[in-house]
Amino acid sequence: MEHLYVFLVLGFLAVCPPLQACPQDCHCHGGNLQHVICYSTGLNKMPKVSEQTRLLNLQHNNFPVLAPNSFKEMKGLVSLHLQHCRIQEIATGAFRGLKKLVYLYLSHNDISVVGLGAFDDLSELTYLYMEHNKIVDLPKGLFSPLMNLFTLQLSNNKVRELKAGTFNGAKDLRWLYVSDNEMTSLQPGSLDEVENLAIFHLDGNQLNSYPLAAISKLRVVEDLKLSRNPIKFIPDLAFQSFGRYMESLSMNNMGIEKFSDKAFLGVKVLKSLNIGENRLNHLPANAPYSTLQNLTLSNNPWQCSCQLAALRRFDTYSSRLNPDATCAGPSQYRGQQLKDTNAFRGCKQSAKKTRKGERY
């Protein structure tokens, strides 16, 4: 009888191995180490966790290189936190086997090298955060495995350009942040694969001309930021491809001298426009004032002549205007706020014939 008992116990252990212990100095929650928190524990190699672990938090440790198959025993991971881990390089196949991973946090490291194939197997990855690193180049095909990627955060890196094919495979990308990089160009074709972007932040780069060839491939952008790029001229049809959807446009502190007369053609639902801190003295007559809820015009050398009189076409204009917008000329109106000046009093408004059934 005793032998039978031992046999049954050994059989049970073979089928159900003992639960793994929580890694030293870490905190674990849930059965089978479902949540493992190793925050700032001095780790320099990957801890052993269960295949049932869903969340692994390794923030503030030391992993200079993420080698191939670094997480091969962690096949159940859904969320992986590697912020502030002094990572310099991500090798090809570093995340191989993480086929259930949805959230990957790699921000605030020193990453300068990302091997082609680094994201192999991450077909379920939806949110990828890589801001505040030293990434210079994004190889063609790097994001190809990420067919479900929704958010890509690449701000505060050293990326110099977006090349054709950069986003091949990432067709579901909707939110793209590449603010505060060193980009001088967006090559034609660089955004062809991500035409459904809804948020596109390009502010704080070194673009010196409006990237019309690349950006006209976008169809549904709702929030576009181009602030702090040295672009002097905004051309015709700059926003037409997504003008039916764009609600927020930030173009402040760029040195813009002129918007082309047809720059805003197709813009229908714009709610917020920030063009402060530029060199503008007038705006196109068809600028989309009627839908705006927030309008910032401050610190531009506005010429308060009839060419700018369209600002007064709407009765509620003065309540939506940044009060710091002032006239730089003519001399008799210099220093007066646009919302209060009499400079436009004698301007004639062009009458538009309204067709039957048309509303304004």
Side-chain angles (χ1 to χ4, degrees), residues 304-332:
C304 293
S305 64
C306 292
Q307 198 170 14
L308 202 61
L311 281 171
R312 289 299 181 88
R313 187 175 297 165
F314 304 98
D315 292 337
T316 57
Y317 148 77
S318 61
S319 65
R320 290 177 280 168
L321 178 64
N322 184 306
D324 293 330
T326 57
C327 301
S331 57
Q332 65 267 38

Side-chain angles (χ1 to χ4, degrees), residues 256-268:
I256 302 173
E257 296 175 357
K258 184 180 180 182
F259 281 86
S260 171
D261 288 342
K262 297 180 181 178
F264 288 103
L265 198 67
V267 176
K268 304 292 186 183

Side-chain angles (χ1 to χ4, degrees), residues 16-285:
C16 300
L19 296 177
Q20 287 181 251
C22 186
Q24 187 175 359
D25 298 323
C26 300
H27 301 281
C28 299
H29 309 281
N32 292 326
L33 308 185
Q34 286 194 28
H35 291 181
V36 178
I37 315 297
C38 302
Y39 185 98
S40 190
T41 55
L43 288 171
N44 53 29
K45 64 179 183 179
M46 294 299 161
K48 292 184 178 181
V49 301
S50 166
E51 281 196 17
Q52 281 72 45
T53 298
R54 297 291 178 263
L55 182 150
L56 178 59
N57 188 338
L58 297 172
Q59 292 185 63
H60 290 272
N61 285 288
N62 185 22
F63 307 112
V65 177
L66 295 183
N69 302 307
S70 288
F71 306 92
K72 64 179 180 179
E73 306 298 334
M74 310 178 190
K75 297 177 181 178
L77 281 184
V78 173
S79 184
L80 177 58
H81 298 250
L82 288 161
Q83 304 98 310
H84 299 278
C85 283
R86 305 178 187 177
I87 302 168
Q88 299 172 20
E89 178 182 349
I90 303 176
T92 298
F95 303 104
R96 191 175 291 129
L98 299 185
K99 296 182 179 181
K100 297 181 180 179
L101 197 69
V102 175
Y103 304 89
L104 178 56
Y105 301 89
L106 292 162
S107 50
H108 294 277
N109 282 291
D110 298 312
I111 301 168
S112 59
V113 177
V114 184
L116 187 61
F119 302 124
D120 283 358
D121 279 359
L122 301 186
S123 58
E124 293 299 316
L125 193 71
T126 308
Y127 305 96
L128 175 57
Y129 298 91
M130 301 180 73
E131 70 270 29
H132 291 280
N133 279 288
K134 299 177 181 178
I135 299 168
V136 174
D137 186 47
L138 300 171
K140 181 179 178 180
L142 178 64
F143 303 110
S144 293
L146 309 183
M147 62 186 70
N148 283 299
L149 190 64
F150 182 92
T151 298
L152 177 58
Q153 174 57 271
L154 282 166
S155 296
N156 294 96
N157 276 279
K158 298 181 181 295
V159 179
R160 293 172 184 163
E161 64 178 345
L162 295 183
K163 295 175 284 194
T166 295
F167 300 107
N168 280 356
K171 59 182 178 57
D172 284 343
L173 189 65
R174 297 278 286 164
W175 296 0
L176 176 59
Y177 304 90
V178 284
S179 307
D180 296 296
N181 277 272
E182 299 177 2
M183 277 190 290
T184 57
S185 70
L186 273 66
Q187 291 185 4
S190 58
L191 301 172
D192 285 6
E193 292 286 330
V194 290
E195 64 176 17
N196 292 319
L197 286 181
I199 296 177
F200 190 24
H201 289 187
L202 270 167
D203 48 311
N205 279 283
Q206 298 173 20
L207 301 173
N208 55 27
S209 62
Y210 187 81
L212 185 61
I215 214 165
S216 63
K217 299 298 182 181
L218 302 178
R219 296 287 174 259
V220 292
V221 176
E222 299 170 11
D223 178 7
L224 177 63
K225 283 189 178 180
L226 282 163
S227 308
R228 297 181 291 116
N229 279 282
I231 301 174
K232 294 183 178 180
F233 177 70
I234 309 303
D236 284 348
L237 313 180
F239 319 106
Q240 187 183 44
S241 65
F242 47 85
R244 292 173 298 160
Y245 300 92
M246 185 171 65
E247 296 185 359
S248 179
L249 175 61
S250 299
M251 304 186 78
N252 54 296
N253 198 15
M254 295 174 63
I256 302 173
E257 296 175 357
K258 184 180 180 182
F259 281 86
S260 171
D261 288 342
K262 297 180 181 178
F264 288 103
L265 198 67
V267 176
K268 304 292 186 183
V269 294
L270 192 64
K271 295 179 181 178
S272 177
L273 175 62
N274 186 346
I275 49 174
E277 309 282 344
N278 284 299
R279 298 174 186 170
L280 293 161
N281 53 46
H282 73 280
L283 287 172

Side-chain angles (χ1 to χ4, degrees), residues 271 295 303:
K271 295 179 181 178
L295 175 60
Q303 288 296 309

